[in-house]
Amino acid sequence: MSEEYVKLISSDGFEFILRKDIACISGTIKAILNEGVFAEAQKNECTFPDIRGSLLEKVCEYLHYNHRHKNQQDVPKFDIPPEMVLELLVTAEYLDT
Amino acid sequence: MSRSRVRGPNSALTEFLRSQGINTSALGRARPPRSESTSQQTDQESIASITEAEETPLSEESPLIETTTVQLQNPPRSRGRSVKKKKKPIEDNNNDDDSEYNTNTGFGRAGFSYKSRENAGKLDFCVHCQCRFTITPYSKYSEKENGWLCYPCSRGVEEQKVPEVHTRKRRAMTRKKAAAATMDEELNVPKLQDLCIRIIAEYIHDIEALGDIGQINMNKISQIISKNRSLDDTTVQLFLTGDQTELKLYDCSKLTVEALLQIVQYCPHLHTLHLTYCGQMKDEVLELYSEKLTELKDFSIKGAFLVSTDTWISFLKKRGPQLTRLEITDTAKVRPPVINTIVDYCPNLTSLTLSRIFYMDDECVRLLSGCKNLKTLRIESPGDVVTDGSILDVLNQIGSGLQTLSLAGCCKLTDELLRQGIGPCCGRLRNLDLTALSELTDDEAASMFGNWNIQSGLENLSLRRCLGLGDRTVRAVLVNSGHSLSSLDLNGLSYVTHNSLQYLATFPLPKLQTLDVSWIRDMNDKLVCEFEENKPTLEKLLVWGNNHVLMPTKRLLLIGREVQ
């Protein structure tokens, strides 16, 4: 099974390349990429003009953390610096994650 | 007054110091080597501070160390060498207080280091990753690498330092944590939103505004803050954004009258207002509510014991006509006149909950038969005696429209209620709560459920602590509503035997999600397995007090097992 990779692009031009199955832990990203008609789905790219690079990076970190510790009992703490927590909450709500 | 010139005898050391012009008054016990960090500063600064020390012997800094340093150091010096040299004079001067402060663990007050107190605010380069950062009182100093660590690097160090001590206490703690996690149902990886909300709740006092985070998340934050008891006059401001239509505060015990007044002043367009434990609410607050909340539909006030009867009446007269849902609990001031007002002035009421009302009695209940449009009626734990007669009156009048009925805690009710009330009158019922009705008997309940002509079947049934009920009732319930039940509570029914549990395990219950079989002695592991296999929709199984349930489950959430 070939592993597909997708690219997430932030508002300030940062590009994050990650595996498609991990990216699709986010409901919004999954919806965008799986809808065959959208240009995003065909190019396997998602642009987020409202999300800054630093926030998108934290989201990618969370997606990997989620994938790694799925169905585990004793998951380690996921650290979030307090300065970005409010914006991260809004972003997380938007991305359904 | 000038200092007296007369001085007593002194030790040789003091004499020596004075002759050198060194003032020891600023030297306390907690004098860490400031010179260590001095070495980290730019050479310019270090030279400046040393010259300062030379010129002003009465300075606050630790001149003892610096003066000796002056003798040894020549600018500019490489970091490694100067640190080594500085370590020597420290040891020479027997400043063994330093060693105490070399074992910093943790942040917060425990991690506060006097070492860095003086350096707070200075820019430095992390000795580990070479990034530029500002030293704070919580920064760590690394002995191994002889330098200050930035925040991410010091976190790494801290994690390595904490040793894994597998004592009995620690094992008990981890078991306790696992049990608590199961109770709170936090088994999987939490969502990013929930992680953020937890941190927000921790730092709630530092937040100025919540911003555009949506109603659901705001509600979650409100719940967590209330659980932490951090909801007070300052933090409540975060929830008052002006245009919101829903506000639910789960612990208003710290909110003063001013804050409660502010709620309405900032959010006049509320449709839904739920305030729990609002013990500080006075008459003036409710009066302002009755004036300002012109769009109020759903009003829930729990614990407002100071509000007087007259104020309740005037509030209900003004706002009653628009209310669709009303919930009042824990007050002694709601008496028959108030109930009368509810009936007269709230014609659009579809849901009414009156719990723990001190003067709730038959007279009050009888009046309620006037609320014709009720779909939900809860009369729970009345303070005074409520008997069958009044409830039957009510059910005869409005029972046919009820979808939810709760008579939890009305302990004096007997089988008559079932035979003449619920059975014949409540055909549309979906949710029934008969908690703590201990006078109900098994036979009567079984026959009621057997003969009950119910439209679509019960979805939620609670027979919690109806101690008289047993096997026959359980079977009758299953036959009656098994196809629609999603939550069944048989907590405390110790007369239920293995037979009916077996029957329960094999009976088709396509929608069952939650089952509570706590304190039923015959419950055991084999039955748990059967539940797990035969009931695919079952998610939660409560087994408090079932001492024959020992094994964990694979799929089900098992809560209350004695062994964890």
Side-chain angles (χ1 to χ4, degrees), chain A residues 62 69 79 82 85-86 93 97, chain B residues 155 189-192 209 213 217:
Chain A
Y62 171 78
H69 296 289
D79 196 58
V85 75
L86 278 170
E93 203 201 353
T97 172
Chain B
R155 264 205 344 268
V189 183
K191 291 180 91 166
L192 185 55
I213 57 177
N217 284 330

Side-chain angles (χ1 to χ4, degrees), chain B residues 429-432 449 452 454 457-461 481 484-485:
Chain B
L429 216 55
R430 299 239 183 102
N431 307 308
L432 180 61
F449 278 104
W452 196 1
I454 200 170
L458 287 175
E459 285 166 24
N460 298 303
L461 173 63
S481 302
S484 56
L485 266 182

Side-chain angles (χ1 to χ4, degrees), chain B residues 30 32 100-120 135-141 148:
Chain B
E100 289 170 27
Y101 296 99
N102 287 341
T103 48
N104 288 329
T105 44
F107 290 104
R109 284 172 65 185
F112 187 83
S113 130
Y114 286 103
K115 222 184 270 190
S116 49
R117 186 177 55 183
E118 291 158 4
N119 307 320
I135 303 179
T136 70
Y138 301 94
S139 302
K140 292 240 179 88
Y141 182 81
W148 293 95

Side-chain angles (χ1 to χ4, degrees), chain B residues 219-374:
Chain B
N219 206 11
K220 281 193 199 170
I221 295 179
S222 158
Q223 280 179 327
I224 298 182
I225 295 179
S226 300
K227 198 161 87 166
N228 292 343
R229 314 226 67 194
S230 319
L231 191 68
D232 56 22
D233 285 7
T234 3
T235 47
V236 77
Q237 302 290 336
L238 296 169
F239 296 95
L240 307 177
T241 53
D243 52 350
Q244 62 193 76
T245 56
E246 194 179 294
L247 183 62
K248 295 183 186 173
L249 299 174
Y250 298 89
D251 182 2
C252 308
S253 11
K254 289 191 186 171
L255 292 186
T256 60
V257 172
E258 282 76 39
L260 292 168
L261 291 170
Q262 270 182 342
I263 292 179
V264 203
Q265 283 157 357
Y266 280 100
C267 313
H269 301 290
L270 286 175
H271 290 171
T272 305
L273 181 59
H274 291 191
L275 299 174
T276 314
Y277 301 139
C278 40
Q280 298 197 41
M281 181 183 275
K282 297 212 174 98
D283 286 340
E284 51 179 317
V285 179
L286 198 57
E287 272 162 19
L288 191 67
Y289 285 6
S290 56
E291 247 178 89
K292 296 269 180 165
L293 292 176
T294 49
E295 298 171 44
L296 192 62
K297 296 216 181 74
D298 181 349
F299 193 53
S300 162
I301 292 281
K302 297 188 184 176
F305 52 82
L306 292 176
V307 178
S308 68
T309 312
D310 290 330
T311 318
W312 278 117
I313 293 179
S314 83
F315 171 80
L316 289 166
K317 280 190 177 157
K318 270 205 193 129
R319 294 289 145 228
Q322 64 201 70
L323 283 180
T324 56
R325 188 173 173 274
L326 180 63
E327 180 173 1
I328 306 176
T329 76
D330 296 291
T331 164
K333 307 284 173 83
V334 170
R335 294 173 191 249
V338 181
I339 309 281
N340 234 333
T341 323
I342 294 180
V343 176
D344 291 335
Y345 285 84
C346 306
N348 297 317
L349 213 56
T350 55
S351 164
L352 179 63
T353 305
L354 296 166
S355 297
R356 295 182 293 275
I357 307 284
F358 199 72
Y359 288 107
M360 193 77 174
D361 57 2
D362 281 326
E363 190 192 339
C364 293
V365 174
R366 232 174 275 262
L367 289 169
L368 286 175
S369 48
C371 293
K372 300 288 177 201
N373 293 324
L374 281 183

